[in-house]
Amino acid sequence: MSDADAPWLVVGLGNPGPEYAANRHNVGFMVADLLAGRIGGKFRTHRSRAQVLEGRLGAPGAGSRRVVLAKPMSYMNLSGGPVTALRDFYKVPAEHLVVVHDELDIDYGVLRLKKGGGDNGHNGLKSITKSLGPGYHRVRFGIGRPPGRMPVADFVLKDFSSTERKELDYFVDRAADAVECLVVDGLERAQGTYNS
C-alpha cells in the first residue's frame, strides 16, 4: 500500500468516563464524536485500548479519504500506547496522523493547525511524542489560561463555563471542519482557512 492510499488516523484526546465528558481536556473526544456523526457510524472497542470508527471523510468519490477515528481509552497521560498500537495495526504513515487536543496557550475557540513541534506541557502529546516522535499533525483547540491562581490541572479537568458552552458547538464543528480539510486538502490549505 502506498502512502497515498494509506488511511489517516485522526485521534481525539480526552479521558474516558462520564465524569470527564464535558471537561475542557476532552475537547478532542468532542471533535471525534462529531466526525463520527458525519461519517455515520458508531465507535467500537478496539484491542488497542481505544474506541475506533473506520470510514471516509470528504466528498464522495475520488475526493474522499479513508479515515480511522480514534479515542484512546487509556486516560490522557497514557495516550501514546493506544495511538502507537493503532498506527501499527492500520499501517498509518507518520504524515497521516492527526491529533486533536486542547491548548492552554491559545484563546478559547481559536484553532491552530501545525505539524510537529513540542508538547507545551500537554501530557497527552508528551505520551504520543515519546512513543512516536514529534512529526505528526496537531489540531490545537484553544481553551485559554486558567483564571487567577487556579492550577492548570484543575482548569483542564473542569467543564466549559456556561458562557463558553454557548459557542462550544460552533467551535467544535469548526474544528471538525479543519480536520476534514487537513485530511482531504492538506495542511497548507487547512492552515490558510482555519488558523485564526
Side-chain angles (χ1 to χ4, degrees):
M1 173 168 43
S2 75
D3 279 2
D5 300 327
W8 284 77
L9 175 57
V10 176
V11 179
L13 293 186
N15 287 307
E19 68 274 31
Y20 298 107
N23 288 179
R24 291 182 178 92
H25 224 16
N26 270 42
V27 77
F29 275 16
M30 296 173 196
V31 174
D33 287 338
L34 184 64
L35 287 166
R38 290 182 184 183
I39 286 173
K42 290 200 177 340
F43 282 99
R44 60 182 174 75
T45 302
H46 189 271
R47 65 177 187 226
S48 61
R49 288 184 307 146
Q51 296 278 315
V52 170
L53 171 64
E54 297 175 54
R56 298 189 82 83
L57 283 176
S64 74
R65 299 283 180 272
R66 243 179 91 211
V67 172
V68 178
L69 290 179
K71 299 190 296 184
M73 293 286 122
S74 57
Y75 291 98
M76 183 69 83
N77 300 2
L78 302 171
S79 299
V83 174
T84 303
L86 288 167
R87 191 255 342 236
D88 294 347
F89 182 84
Y90 289 102
K91 299 178 176 51
V92 175
E95 60 273 14
H96 279 203
L97 173 60
V98 181
V99 177
V100 185
H101 64 91
D102 56 302
E103 179 66 63
L104 286 161
D105 286 335
I106 303 174
D107 289 341
Y108 173 63
V110 173
L111 293 177
R112 291 267 193 287
L113 285 75
K114 70 174 190 173
K115 186 174 181 193
D119 57 54
N120 207 16
H122 192 291
N123 289 328
L125 295 182
K126 202 175 285 182
S127 176
I128 293 168
T129 298
K130 187 175 174 193
S131 297
L132 295 174
Y136 51 90
H137 293 94
R138 296 107 191 270
V139 175
R140 303 154 70 208
F141 186 110
I143 60 168
R145 301 293 304 180
R149 296 173 183 268
M150 183 189 287
V152 165
D154 293 348
F155 180 69
V156 299
L157 293 175
K158 278 204 178 340
D159 290 358
F160 286 100
S161 71
S162 55
T163 307
E164 288 169 333
R165 280 199 300 274
K166 288 180 183 143
E167 294 182 295
L168 183 60
D169 288 349
Y170 168 76
F171 288 139
V172 168
D173 194 61
R174 195 163 180 272
D177 290 346
V179 169
E180 206 162 326
C181 183
L182 169 59
V183 167
V184 175
D185 299 320
L187 179 61
E188 211 170 295
R189 167 74 66 86
Q191 284 176 322
T193 307
Y194 293 98
N195 276 11
S196 25

